[in-house]
Amino acid sequence: MPAGDSSDIHCRLDELLEARGMTLTELSKQVGVSLVNLSVLKNDRAKAIRFSTLTAICDVLDCDVGDLLTRSPPSTH
């Protein structure tokens, strides 16, 4: 895979939503970000995220950035 085509960053949005009994639709309404954009983030397909969006998601989910985004060790294939 060419450099830059994948990321070692994983979004734990599914787990955080489930733990809080919240749907992606509810989060979308509270954060003011489209359902499509949150879905891209949730499915680890996002290439970037605005700090303001990250802050809003963390505020609504009452979590830290490190709870939402984790980094996996780079794969060696």
Side-chain angles (χ1 to χ4, degrees), residues 39-65:
S39 181
V40 166
L41 180 63
K42 177 181 75 99
N43 293 309
D44 291 331
R45 293 191 318 262
K47 301 282 186 201
I49 184 170
R50 292 179 184 195
F51 286 151
S52 58
T53 300
L54 194 53
T55 301
I57 290 170
C58 288
D59 285 348
V60 170
L61 294 179
D62 191 28
C63 68
D64 290 321
V65 174

Side-chain angles (χ1 to χ4, degrees), residues 16-75:
L16 293 172
L17 287 171
E18 184 177 333
R20 286 152 180 79
M22 184 182 283
T23 66
L24 198 61
T25 302
E26 290 175 89
L27 181 65
S28 171
K29 289 176 185 172
Q30 290 189 41
V31 173
V33 174
S34 76
L35 192 55
V36 171
N37 285 342
L38 285 179
S39 181
V40 166
L41 180 63
K42 177 181 75 99
N43 293 309
D44 291 331
R45 293 191 318 262
K47 301 282 186 201
I49 184 170
R50 292 179 184 195
F51 286 151
S52 58
T53 300
L54 194 53
T55 301
I57 290 170
C58 288
D59 285 348
V60 170
L61 294 179
D62 191 28
C63 68
D64 290 321
V65 174
D67 299 325
L68 180 64
L69 301 174
T70 60
R71 184 168 184 238
S72 333
S75 58

